[in-house]
Amino acid sequence: MELPFQHIDKDGLPKHIAIIMDGNGRWAKQQSKPRVFGHKNGVRAVRDVTEAAAELGIEYLTLYAFSKENWKRPQVEVDTLMKLFITTVSKELKTLNENNIRLEAIGDLDALPDDTLHALTYAIENTAHNDHMTLVLALNYSARWEIVETAKQLAGQVADGTSDVRDIDEELFESHLTTCGYPDPELLIRTSGESRVSNFLLWQISYSELIFTSTLWPDFTKADLYRAIAEYQRRERRFGMTSEQVTKS
């Protein structure tokens, strides 16, 4: 595929990109439309970015689709989001399989409405054989919830004697996170101009490169993704080391 930004190093791509898809409501307001209009138009950006990531060879793409805090929004907006999710997953299932993309999800999934969970489970099961890219949807997700649940699991294991508290380290903790088996995101993108991570993958993004763009999510295109990757590749990732140490390694 010919890239519009030739300075992207296709040998230095991040394995895992995470995106906070923000700005649907503001985009709709600019069009003098209700907020749900923005969510419906945001589906196009999801499709384009997923396609672009797969074409580039990104191994994992995680999208923050619905947070635990989002239940506080107006009921009509929440209901529309759940219905939109069902129709979108069903409509895009064929495309996911044609592009060899596996769908997975993280979050408190059992608390989703039954019909939403059913559609999600069906899509996950029917794309499980795909291995070109993994598309991870964060649904009813909260990083604080995830960390607390992990702590509860480990505490329970210590209480029943199946684990020793002295054996708890970062590796064991990570093995109980919902993202177990995924590499940590090297790149986190947030759209809409907000400069915060909003309770998303707090453990996993400890060393991620953070890129905040003013582009509202429905306007986010393949070109915007390429720009973010190009910016990521211009940065020096030191992981606590000095520049000299990185250069020598």
Short mmCIF file of all heavy atoms in Angstrom, two decimals, residues 139-160:
data_model
loop_
_atom_site.label_atom_id
_atom_site.label_comp_id
_atom_site.label_asym_id
_atom_site.label_seq_id
_atom_site.Cartn_x
_atom_site.Cartn_y
_atom_site.Cartn_z
N LEU A 139 -15.36 -2.29 26.36
CA LEU A 139 -16.79 -2.06 26.58
C LEU A 139 -17.12 -2.19 28.05
O LEU A 139 -16.73 -3.18 28.70
CB LEU A 139 -17.62 -3.07 25.78
CG LEU A 139 -17.70 -2.85 24.26
CD1 LEU A 139 -18.19 -4.10 23.58
CD2 LEU A 139 -18.63 -1.68 23.97
N ASN A 140 -17.86 -1.22 28.56
CA ASN A 140 -18.13 -1.18 30.00
C ASN A 140 -16.82 -1.36 30.76
O ASN A 140 -16.71 -2.14 31.70
CB ASN A 140 -19.14 -2.27 30.41
CG ASN A 140 -19.74 -2.00 31.78
OD1 ASN A 140 -19.82 -0.87 32.24
ND2 ASN A 140 -20.15 -3.07 32.45
N TYR A 141 -15.82 -0.60 30.30
CA TYR A 141 -14.46 -0.74 30.81
C TYR A 141 -14.09 0.43 31.71
O TYR A 141 -14.50 1.57 31.47
CB TYR A 141 -13.46 -0.83 29.65
CG TYR A 141 -12.02 -0.89 30.12
CD1 TYR A 141 -11.44 -2.09 30.48
CD2 TYR A 141 -11.26 0.28 30.23
CE1 TYR A 141 -10.13 -2.13 30.93
CE2 TYR A 141 -9.97 0.24 30.67
CZ TYR A 141 -9.40 -0.97 31.03
OH TYR A 141 -8.10 -1.01 31.50
N SER A 142 -13.28 0.14 32.70
CA SER A 142 -12.70 1.13 33.60
C SER A 142 -11.39 0.57 34.09
O SER A 142 -11.33 -0.57 34.57
CB SER A 142 -13.64 1.41 34.78
OG SER A 142 -12.91 1.81 35.93
N ALA A 143 -10.31 1.33 33.95
CA ALA A 143 -9.01 0.84 34.39
C ALA A 143 -8.97 0.64 35.91
O ALA A 143 -8.38 -0.33 36.39
CB ALA A 143 -7.91 1.82 33.97
N ARG A 144 -9.60 1.53 36.66
CA ARG A 144 -9.63 1.35 38.12
C ARG A 144 -10.41 0.09 38.49
O ARG A 144 -10.00 -0.66 39.39
CB ARG A 144 -10.25 2.59 38.78
CG ARG A 144 -9.35 3.81 38.72
CD ARG A 144 -9.96 4.97 39.49
NE ARG A 144 -9.05 6.11 39.57
CZ ARG A 144 -9.31 7.22 40.23
NH1 ARG A 144 -10.47 7.36 40.86
NH2 ARG A 144 -8.44 8.20 40.26
N TRP A 145 -11.52 -0.14 37.79
CA TRP A 145 -12.29 -1.38 38.01
C TRP A 145 -11.41 -2.59 37.73
O TRP A 145 -11.40 -3.55 38.50
CB TRP A 145 -13.52 -1.39 37.09
CG TRP A 145 -14.13 -2.76 36.95
CD1 TRP A 145 -15.04 -3.35 37.78
CD2 TRP A 145 -13.87 -3.70 35.90
NE1 TRP A 145 -15.36 -4.61 37.33
CE2 TRP A 145 -14.65 -4.85 36.17
CE3 TRP A 145 -13.05 -3.70 34.76
CZ2 TRP A 145 -14.64 -5.99 35.35
CZ3 TRP A 145 -13.04 -4.81 33.95
CH2 TRP A 145 -13.82 -5.93 34.25
N GLU A 146 -10.68 -2.55 36.62
CA GLU A 146 -9.83 -3.67 36.23
C GLU A 146 -8.76 -3.95 37.29
O GLU A 146 -8.52 -5.11 37.66
CB GLU A 146 -9.17 -3.37 34.89
CG GLU A 146 -8.23 -4.48 34.41
CD GLU A 146 -7.54 -4.12 33.12
OE1 GLU A 146 -7.24 -2.92 32.91
OE2 GLU A 146 -7.28 -5.03 32.32
N ILE A 147 -8.13 -2.90 37.79
CA ILE A 147 -7.07 -3.07 38.78
C ILE A 147 -7.64 -3.59 40.10
O ILE A 147 -7.05 -4.47 40.75
CB ILE A 147 -6.32 -1.73 38.98
CG1 ILE A 147 -5.51 -1.41 37.71
CG2 ILE A 147 -5.40 -1.79 40.19
CD1 ILE A 147 -4.94 -0.01 37.67
N VAL A 148 -8.79 -3.06 40.51
CA VAL A 148 -9.42 -3.53 41.74
C VAL A 148 -9.82 -5.01 41.61
O VAL A 148 -9.62 -5.81 42.52
CB VAL A 148 -10.65 -2.67 42.10
CG1 VAL A 148 -11.47 -3.32 43.21
CG2 VAL A 148 -10.20 -1.28 42.53
N GLU A 149 -10.40 -5.39 40.47
CA GLU A 149 -10.79 -6.78 40.26
C GLU A 149 -9.59 -7.70 40.28
O GLU A 149 -9.66 -8.82 40.82
CB GLU A 149 -11.53 -6.92 38.91
CG GLU A 149 -12.92 -6.33 38.90
CD GLU A 149 -13.83 -6.99 39.93
OE1 GLU A 149 -13.93 -8.23 39.93
OE2 GLU A 149 -14.43 -6.25 40.75
N THR A 150 -8.49 -7.25 39.73
CA THR A 150 -7.26 -8.05 39.75
C THR A 150 -6.77 -8.23 41.18
O THR A 150 -6.37 -9.32 41.59
CB THR A 150 -6.17 -7.39 38.89
OG1 THR A 150 -6.62 -7.36 37.52
CG2 THR A 150 -4.86 -8.14 38.97
N ALA A 151 -6.81 -7.15 41.95
CA ALA A 151 -6.39 -7.22 43.36
C ALA A 151 -7.28 -8.19 44.14
O ALA A 151 -6.80 -8.97 44.97
CB ALA A 151 -6.43 -5.83 43.99
N LYS A 152 -8.59 -8.16 43.86
CA LYS A 152 -9.51 -9.08 44.53
C LYS A 152 -9.18 -10.53 44.20
O LYS A 152 -9.20 -11.41 45.08
CB LYS A 152 -10.95 -8.78 44.10
CG LYS A 152 -11.56 -7.51 44.70
CD LYS A 152 -12.98 -7.34 44.19
CE LYS A 152 -13.65 -6.09 44.75
NZ LYS A 152 -15.02 -5.92 44.21
N GLN A 153 -8.90 -10.81 42.93
CA GLN A 153 -8.57 -12.17 42.52
C GLN A 153 -7.32 -12.67 43.24
O GLN A 153 -7.29 -13.80 43.74
CB GLN A 153 -8.35 -12.22 41.01
CG GLN A 153 -9.59 -11.99 40.18
CD GLN A 153 -9.29 -11.97 38.69
OE1 GLN A 153 -8.41 -12.68 38.21
NE2 GLN A 153 -10.02 -11.14 37.95
N LEU A 154 -6.30 -11.84 43.29
CA LEU A 154 -5.06 -12.23 43.95
C LEU A 154 -5.26 -12.39 45.45
O LEU A 154 -4.72 -13.31 46.06
CB LEU A 154 -3.96 -11.22 43.64
CG LEU A 154 -3.49 -11.18 42.19
CD1 LEU A 154 -2.54 -10.03 41.96
CD2 LEU A 154 -2.83 -12.50 41.80
N ALA A 155 -6.04 -11.48 46.04
CA ALA A 155 -6.31 -11.58 47.47
C ALA A 155 -7.06 -12.87 47.79
O ALA A 155 -6.79 -13.54 48.80
CB ALA A 155 -7.14 -10.37 47.93
N GLY A 156 -7.99 -13.25 46.91
CA GLY A 156 -8.73 -14.49 47.09
C GLY A 156 -7.83 -15.70 47.01
O GLY A 156 -7.98 -16.66 47.78
N GLN A 157 -6.86 -15.67 46.11
CA GLN A 157 -5.93 -16.78 45.97
C GLN A 157 -5.03 -16.91 47.20
O GLN A 157 -4.70 -18.02 47.63
CB GLN A 157 -5.09 -16.61 44.70
CG GLN A 157 -5.89 -16.77 43.42
CD GLN A 157 -5.06 -16.50 42.18
OE1 GLN A 157 -3.83 -16.36 42.26
NE2 GLN A 157 -5.71 -16.41 41.03
N VAL A 158 -4.63 -15.77 47.74
CA VAL A 158 -3.82 -15.80 48.95
C VAL A 158 -4.66 -16.33 50.11
O VAL A 158 -4.20 -17.15 50.92
CB VAL A 158 -3.28 -14.39 49.28
CG1 VAL A 158 -2.63 -14.38 50.67
CG2 VAL A 158 -2.27 -13.95 48.22
N ALA A 159 -5.91 -15.90 50.19
CA ALA A 159 -6.80 -16.33 51.29
C ALA A 159 -7.06 -17.82 51.27
O ALA A 159 -7.13 -18.46 52.32
CB ALA A 159 -8.11 -15.56 51.23
N ASP A 160 -7.22 -18.39 50.06
CA ASP A 160 -7.52 -19.83 50.01
C ASP A 160 -6.27 -20.70 49.90
O ASP A 160 -6.35 -21.92 49.75
CB ASP A 160 -8.50 -20.16 48.88
CG ASP A 160 -7.93 -19.86 47.49
OD1 ASP A 160 -6.71 -19.80 47.33
OD2 ASP A 160 -8.74 -19.69 46.56
#
